[in-house]
């Protein structure tokens, strides 16, 4: 399997999970939320600052269909993570290539001065 096929497959699975399967996730509280409710900690919780943002509360603001809104939010999230992660990877890779080029230039310059 080539690297390109692997990444295309990985992207397809990620988009399917984020866009379709995420709708079927449990609406019941997870373990942490359950303990917070049992111990009374959740009574002190407040809304977060980004609650009214376009992607607040696991949906897309302005999309009335809950299934579409949640799926679209997941797909946008996958895209954002891919862009940020890919950008960081590309930047680090390019930076490594520049240092390797600099080392080769320095090596070549020191080799030429030793001969001269």
């Amino acid at each position: 399997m080539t690297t390109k096929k692997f990444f295309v497959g990985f992207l397809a699975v990620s988009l399917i999970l984020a866009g379709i399967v995420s709708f079927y996730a449990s609406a019941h509280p997870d373990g942490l939320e359950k303990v917070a409710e049992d111990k009374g900690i959740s009574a002190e919780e407040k809304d977060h600052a980004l609650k009214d943002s376009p992607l607040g509360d696991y949906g897309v603001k302005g999309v009335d269909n809950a299934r579409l809104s949640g799926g679209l939010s997941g797909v946008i999230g996958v895209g954002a993570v891919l862009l940020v992660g890919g950008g960081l990877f590309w930047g680090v890779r390019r930076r490594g290539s520049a240092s390797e080029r600099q080392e080769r230039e320095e090596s070549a310059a020191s080799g030429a001065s030793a001969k001269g």
Side-chain angles (χ1 to χ4, degrees):
M1 175 183 285
T2 65
T3 304
K4 187 175 182 178
K5 286 182 182 179
F6 172 79
F7 283 117
V8 168
F10 183 78
L11 178 63
V13 169
S14 298
L15 291 173
I16 289 169
L17 288 174
I20 298 170
V21 178
S22 65
F23 180 75
Y24 298 102
S26 175
H28 299 293
D30 62 14
L32 183 60
E33 289 176 355
K34 177 76 170 129
V35 171
E37 288 173 4
D38 291 347
K39 300 293 181 183
I41 298 169
S42 63
E44 298 176 21
E45 71 183 28
K46 299 173 185 159
D47 287 336
H48 56 85
L50 299 175
K51 180 183 180 238
D52 296 324
S53 71
L55 294 174
D57 205 21
Y58 301 104
V60 176
K61 193 174 193 174
V63 178
D64 296 328
N65 183 325
R67 182 176 293 223
L68 180 62
S69 178
L72 191 56
S73 177
V75 169
I76 291 170
V78 166
V81 168
L82 213 66
L83 286 174
V84 170
L88 287 172
F89 180 78
W90 181 77
V92 168
R93 188 186 71 170
R94 297 278 298 169
R95 185 172 154 191
S97 296
S99 64
E100 289 172 0
R101 276 186 265 138
Q102 184 178 2
E103 287 176 10
R104 281 183 283 182
E105 290 172 2
E106 290 172 358
S107 171
S110 65
S113 64
K115 290 180 183 178

